[in-house]
């Protein structure tokens, strides 16, 4: 207060001589400071339009609220505070009641089960203070068992209409589910909704599996398995859980596979004679190409979204650092220059950032930098954070956080790329190596 | 006695091949030494110089590395010299050399680091006369720590290359 | 383990896996999807939005969504199921409100004041250690409470540990506490905890037990404290910053201008007070990074009581991004003008001619990465 007063005082003194000058036209002011806080949003319980829809209506509005609040960009206003209830989807909105509880956005909706037994979900989004609808009302029709996906689709629409970027709720995570003691950990591939719901296992626990990655269409997964007793790269079809070993030399160890944006090329690491380099494999022709041939470790490759470049890690300069090279190889340029070691680079879906793991002074961080290495920002810090993966909209990063000690165990966390909204993803048991799918179609 | 041991080992190896699970192999191969030290679970009599138990405990089946390094220490070389001579005396055995890393690194880098360590041990054994065809390497990165605390005391035991004998079946 | 156990466990594992996956992944293929009717709505509904509509194209989306599932997946249980999307007709207008909400009197309702001002000075902040929460990790630094949820032009000290100040690690399933949404106006509500910068976990100091409150540490650089600050800190509370600044100007500047009947322009202090009042409601926290690159200018007609005529708000222009992102940027700016104007802006009525129409430019340059 004092400071403001002082500024106002000096500004007023400075401008006093001009105070009598006449002003023409509208008053003009410029706002350059604002607040950054979650937008208060009210999700009116969706109206069940027939008895069969009663359960779904409550669950769907609940999931929508959780989705939006979970982003950290919105704050859901508790229903206890509501003044008016929305008892019919077509009833006019009493904006005054929602302004009174400072709801800046309001979602209304209705759920019914149609004659074919399918779920019909309608929703509208309102800007309460402007008393205007944001976008148009939409209706989704889906199978009842997919009610969560419908809720995610509604959430994606709301998110997109308010923030201006696409959502990420209707997406999935493939990860490694872990159990057992630290020195005999059992690992199996699993898949779940982005929020931890609907976990399904894709492999059994008989072999170590590591670091899965989704194909650009989300229907296949690359991963590393010790099925043969040696690390080898596999591709698994999510739909029928069929897996196949990829065509690489049997005597070599292969790992760190990721798809190119075309979905037909795989880039991976191959270790032979103690040296690890990066190769590509064409899934259609089986043609293999060597991209690096240094005596150092080259691994953890990740394609740029346009498919033209690959970011990877290498210890050619004595410690793990990040490098970018062309999709066909060539002389890489180093992009990480800060203190510590940098690994697991992952190119963002927007193409403008690289997420990475940084190890410095005994701690691990998840961070982001521009693709030329500038503007490095660390988002997290803990005993062991690693393996970032991007939400399909490039706004959120999920990663593995492992606790220390004999009983230490990994779990999944997510964080906004601003560094805010760090959360543990609720998964039963231990989990590691998450990979985010594209938005489902 | 020796025959019986070999037969046992052979059976075990066949069983392992059938399962082809690393977890199983760890169960007696390079798992906690306590597991195979005193019970006779297929490792044979530790006093029998041709037994697996003797190789593990007397010769020493593992060498250790410093942080983020794959260079063999002088002590490691002594151990590998003994391994080389044991392998020379027991030509029916082949070996898989496992490379491991501590937990203070990212997963895939540690795989590559483990591969380096296993290869360093392999190269040394070959330089000491072991036929390359009898040796194979595998990396486990940080997936199979021996000690589970989060201190250097444990990390130093986990940065290792372990020579696991395989009774000639995969050679 | 014995050989028998190996074989047995392998066989059992295989059998169990078969049972598991056989059950999980053999559901019938979903029936083909019907195309729902798409009924588009009239454009008048969005007359208030002066932007060309390039929000999600419902027709296109529908077409994309109803494409038959690819034949390549014989058992698409775990595959994306088609969900049909269709646009709805506009909702009926609220009956007791004329279609264009141009009469601001209708907005005069008992509403709570805008959210507590970030720079309203609380009582001299008590030193309150943030709550530490044990979440099972061995490292205390992982349990450090979250940085403030709110980033505002001026920092505010944490009020007191409450449910709102969640520990930094939040289970997504945790029910959302909403103590900030009271049905009753709460004049005396403590300011929300706010920092002037986003403090990521990585930037937090490792030592947990803080011995000072957040506020002094994060005081903004652009408003340096001047040594000869005359006013003692525990000054009487004023209702709003706008009022305080206006009062300060009036008493300190001692300009004769305010006494003139009408005509003279607003003093810089009066304009500044308006600016400060609006910026408290300008929340950029839910904007995309693209929208945060857009400077948007809007115009609003004002009523003599200092309240904006909400129906008159129009976007005059924008620069720095696409139409789509400008729409969200404009909407956030419009919300700010309306929300903080609910009880009227503190403007000198004798100079109404000067501020009957206001053009406000919202430049988020400084709001991008804080």
């Amino acid at each position: 207060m004092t400071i403001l007063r002082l500024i106002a005082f000096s500004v007023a003194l400075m401008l006093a001589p001009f105070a009598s000058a006449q002003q023409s036209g509208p008053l003009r002011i410029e706002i350059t400071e604002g607040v950054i806080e979650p937008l208060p949003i009210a999700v009116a319980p969706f109206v069940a339009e027939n008895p069969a829809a009663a359960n779904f209506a409550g669950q769907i509005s609940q999931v929508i609220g959780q989705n939006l609040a979970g982003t950290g960009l919105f704050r859901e206003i508790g229903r206890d505070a509501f003044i008016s209830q929305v008892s019919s989807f077509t009833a006019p909105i009493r904006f005054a009641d929602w302004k009174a509880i400072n709801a800046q956005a309001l979602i209304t909706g209705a759920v019914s089960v149609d004659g074919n037994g399918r779920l019909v979900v309608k929703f509208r989004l309102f800007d309460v203070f402007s008393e205007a609808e944001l976008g148009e009302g939409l209706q989704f029709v889906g199978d009842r068992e997919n009610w969560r996906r419908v809720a995610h689709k509604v959430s994606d629409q709301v998110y997109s209409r308010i923030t201006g970027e696409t959502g990420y709720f209707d997406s999935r995570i493939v990860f490694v589910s872990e159990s057992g003691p630290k020195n005999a950990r059992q690992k199996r591939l699993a898949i779940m909704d982005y929020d931890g719901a609907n976990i399904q296992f894709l492999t059994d626990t008989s072999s170590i599996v590591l670091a899965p990655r989704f194909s650009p269409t989300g229907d296949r997964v690359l991963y590393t398995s010790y099925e043969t007793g040696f690390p080898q790269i596999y591709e698994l079809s999510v739909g029928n859980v069929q897996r196949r070993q990829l065509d690489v030399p049997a005597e070599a160890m292969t790992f760190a596979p990721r798809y190119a944006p075309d979905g037909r090329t795989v880039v991976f690491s191959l270790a032979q004679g103690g040296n690890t380099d990066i190769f590509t494999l064409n899934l259609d022709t089986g043609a293999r190409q060597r991209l690096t041939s240094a005596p150092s470790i080259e691994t953890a490759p990740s394609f740029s979204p346009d498919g033209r470049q690959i970011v990877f890690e290498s210890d050619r300069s004595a410690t793990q650092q990040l490098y970018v090279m062309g999709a066909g190889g060539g002389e890489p340029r180093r992009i990480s220059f800060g203190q510590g070691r940098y690994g697991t680079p992952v190119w963002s879906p927007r193409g403008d950032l690289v997420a990475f793991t940084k190890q410095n002074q005994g701690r691990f961080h998840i961070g982001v930098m521009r693709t030329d290495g500038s503007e490095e920002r660390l988002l997290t810090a803990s005993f062991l954070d690693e393996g970032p993966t991007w939400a399909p909209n490039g706004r959120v990063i999920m990663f593995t956080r492992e606790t220390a000690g004999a009983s230490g165990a990994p779990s999944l966390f997510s964080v906004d790329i601003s560094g805010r909204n760090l959360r543990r993803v609720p998964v039963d048991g231990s989990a590691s190596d998450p990979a985010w799918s594209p938005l489902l179609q | 006695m020796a025959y019986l041991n070999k037969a046992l080992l052979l059976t075990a190896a066949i069983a392992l091949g059938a399962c082809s699970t690393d977890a199983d192999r760890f169960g007696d191969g390079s798992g906690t030494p306590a597991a195979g030290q005193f019970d006779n679970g297929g490792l044979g009599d530790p006093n029998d110089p041709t037994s697996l138990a003797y190789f593990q405990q007397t010769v020493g089946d593992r060498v250790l590395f410093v942080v983020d390094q794959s260079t063999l220490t002088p002590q490691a070389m002594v151990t590998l010299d003994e391994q080389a001579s044991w392998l020379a005396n027991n030509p029916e055995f082949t070996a898989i050399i496992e490379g491991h890393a501590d937990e203070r690194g990212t997963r895939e880098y540690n795989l590559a680091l483990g591969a380096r360590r296993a290869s360093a041990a392999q190269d040394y054994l070959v330089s000491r006369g072991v036929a390359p065809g009898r040796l194979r390497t595998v990396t486990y990165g940080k997936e199979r720590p021996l000690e589970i605390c989060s201190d250097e005391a444990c990390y130093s035991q986990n940065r290792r290359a372990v020579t696991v004998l395989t009774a000639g079946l995969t050679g | 383990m014995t050989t028998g156990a190996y074989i047995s466990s392998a066989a059992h594992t295989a059998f169990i896996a078969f049972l598991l996956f056989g059950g999980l992944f053999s559901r019938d293929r979903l029936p083909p999807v019907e195309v729902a009717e798409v009924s588009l709505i009239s454009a008048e509904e969005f007359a208030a939005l002066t932007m060309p509509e390039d929000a999600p194209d419902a027709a296109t989306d529908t077409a994309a969504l109803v494409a038959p599932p690819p034949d390549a997946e014989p058992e698409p249980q775990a595959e994306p199921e088609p969900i049909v999307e269709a646009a709805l007709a506009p909702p009926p207008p609220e009956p007791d409100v004329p279609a264009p909400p141009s009469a601001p009197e209708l907005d005069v309702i008992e509403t709570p004041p805008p959210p507590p001002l970030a720079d309203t000075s609380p009582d001299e902040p008590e030193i309150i250690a943030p709550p530490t929460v044990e979440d099972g990790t061995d490292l205390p630094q992982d349990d450090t409470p979250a940085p403030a949820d709110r980033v505002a032009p001026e920092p505010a000290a944490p009020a007191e540990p409450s449910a709102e100040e969640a520990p930094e690690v939040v289970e997504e399933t945790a029910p959302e506490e909403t103590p900030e949404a009271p049905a009753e106006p709460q004049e005396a509500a403590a300011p929300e905890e706010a920092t002037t910068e986003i403090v990521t976990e990585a930037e937090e100091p490792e030592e947990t037990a803080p011995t000072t409150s957040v506020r002094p540490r994060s005081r903004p650089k652009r408003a340096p404290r001047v040594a000869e600050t005359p006013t003692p800190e525990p000054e009487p509370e004023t209702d709003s910053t706008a009022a305080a600044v206006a009062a300060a100007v009036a008493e300190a500047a001692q300009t004769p201008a305010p006494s003139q009947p009408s005509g003279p322009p607003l003093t810089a202090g009066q304009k500044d007070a308006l600016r400060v009042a609006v910026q408290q409601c300008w929340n950029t926290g839910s904007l995309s990074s693209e929208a945060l690159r857009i400077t948007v200018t809007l115009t609003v007609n004002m009523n003599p009581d200092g309240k904006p005529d909400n129906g008159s708000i129009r976007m005059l222009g924008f620069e720095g991004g696409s139409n789509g992102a400008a729409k969200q940027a404009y909407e956030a700016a419009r919300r700010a003008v309306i929300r903080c104007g609910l009880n009227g802006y503190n403007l000198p009525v004798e100079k109404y001619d000067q501020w009957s129409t206001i053009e406000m430019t919202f430049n988020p340059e400084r709001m991008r990465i804080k």
Side-chain angles (χ1 to χ4, degrees), chain C:
Chain C
M1 285 174 80
T2 66
T3 304
Y6 285 129
I7 295 170
S8 165
S9 66
H12 277 86
T13 308
F15 183 62
I16 291 167
F18 172 76
L19 288 181
L20 276 176
F21 295 123
L24 269 179
F25 295 102
S26 63
R27 278 190 216 164
D28 288 341
R29 183 174 180 168
L30 297 165
V33 185
E34 295 176 17
V35 183
E37 274 199 11
V38 177
S39 47
L40 287 168
I41 64 170
S42 64
E44 293 93 277
E45 183 63 21
F46 306 106
L49 311 177
T50 55
M51 280 304 305
E53 177 72 48
D54 71 351
D57 182 338
T60 310
D61 286 354
T62 305
L65 282 165
V66 297
D71 288 326
E73 292 93 32
E75 295 170 292
Q77 192 280 330
E79 287 304 293
E81 290 81 8
I83 293 177
V84 187
E85 173 184 328
L88 300 173
E94 196 168 3
D96 53 344
V97 177
S102 56
E105 287 76 19
L106 290 173
D107 295 324
V108 184
I109 31 182
E110 288 310 307
T111 51
L117 306 182
D119 59 350
T120 298
S121 181
D123 299 332
E124 194 54 17
E126 301 166 17
I127 296 170
I128 298 168
T132 47
V133 179
E134 197 58 54
D135 73 348
T137 62
D138 295 25
L139 294 183
Q141 56 265 42
D142 286 344
D143 300 327
T144 312
D149 220 13
R150 174 183 166 97
V151 178
E154 304 291 329
E160 62 177 273
S162 73
E164 182 65 19
E165 294 146 16
E168 74 176 26
V169 174
V170 187
E171 288 285 346
E172 285 188 4
T173 49
E176 191 72 10
E177 298 285 344
T178 56
E180 279 185 56
E184 300 289 319
Q186 291 188 339
E187 284 288 346
E192 294 169 66
E193 181 181 0
T195 64
T196 53
E197 288 182 8
I198 292 171
V199 181
T200 70
E201 182 182 50
E203 293 162 341
E204 287 170 46
E206 285 208 28
E207 303 304 325
T208 40
T211 51
T212 58
S213 73
V214 179
R215 190 177 186 216
R217 192 181 63 209
S218 52
R219 193 171 281 279
K221 292 185 196 104
R222 64 192 166 74
R225 181 178 290 273
V226 181
E228 54 270 29
T229 302
T231 332
E233 199 61 71
E235 60 186 276
E237 288 280 333
T238 41
D239 268 348
S240 72
T241 309
V245 172
V249 169
E251 76 185 11
Q254 293 172 340
T255 51
S259 61
Q260 293 178 10
S262 77
L266 270 64
T267 64
Q270 287 164 336
K271 286 176 71 171
D272 205 45
L274 175 64
R275 183 183 60 75
V276 168
V278 174
Q279 76 184 19
Q280 279 145 13
C281 287
W282 186 36
N283 178 10
T284 61
S286 59
L287 289 181
S288 69
S289 48
E290 188 192 354
L292 278 176
R293 282 192 289 270
I294 293 176
T295 295
V296 63
T297 300
L298 58 75
T299 177
V300 55
N301 296 336
M302 301 293 292
N303 297 312
D305 60 1
K307 291 174 184 166
D309 173 356
N310 295 345
S312 74
I313 301 177
R314 298 281 182 276
M315 180 157 73
L316 292 179
F318 68 91
E319 54 186 59
S322 69
N323 284 1
K327 183 163 166 286
Q328 276 81 32
Y330 163 67
E331 283 162 358
R334 181 177 62 180
R335 273 195 292 274
V337 175
I338 296 174
R339 276 178 56 229
C340 270
L342 275 182
N343 294 328
Y345 291 104
N346 194 335
L347 291 162
V349 68
E350 69 275 11
K351 297 183 185 177
Y352 175 64
D353 287 349
Q354 296 292 336
W355 50 264
S356 58
T357 301
I358 306 178
E359 287 181 18
M360 299 188 196
T361 298
F362 291 79
N363 182 348
E365 191 176 345
R366 290 197 238 171
M367 300 301 296
R368 272 174 224 151
I369 297 177
K370 291 196 83 169

Side-chain angles (χ1 to χ4, degrees), chain A residues 8 14 38 65 75 141 187 192 226 233 337 355 413 433:
Chain A
M14 279 192 306
R75 179 170 58 75
V141 181
K187 297 192 168 197
M192 64 184 183
Y226 280 72
I233 57 177
F337 292 96
F413 278 70
D433 291 3

Side-chain angles (χ1 to χ4, degrees), chain B residues 79-169:
Chain B
T79 303
L80 291 171
D81 283 338
E82 300 231 0
Q83 287 186 10
S85 63
W86 191 93
L87 285 166
N89 294 332
N90 297 274
E92 68 276 29
F93 282 94
T94 62
I96 292 179
I97 303 169
E98 302 173 344
H100 297 267
D102 65 32
E103 68 185 359
R104 305 310 285 159
T106 49
R107 196 177 311 288
E108 287 163 345
Y109 178 82
N110 278 359
L111 286 179
L113 183 58
R116 254 188 197 163
R117 287 175 175 160
S119 187
Q122 179 189 39
D123 290 350
Y124 189 87
L125 289 175
V126 169
S127 77
R128 286 296 180 269
V130 181
R134 293 175 66 195
L135 302 174
R136 202 176 164 184
T137 60
V138 63
T139 174
Y140 283 95
K142 61 175 174 179
E143 303 308 313
R144 284 291 180 260
L146 193 60
E147 303 292 338
I148 58 176
C149 73
S150 290
D151 301 315
E152 176 56 24
C154 290
Y155 297 159
S156 64
Q157 297 300 305
N158 291 336
R159 294 188 298 263
R160 66 200 194 275
V162 183
T163 305
V164 181
L165 300 175
T166 51
L169 284 186

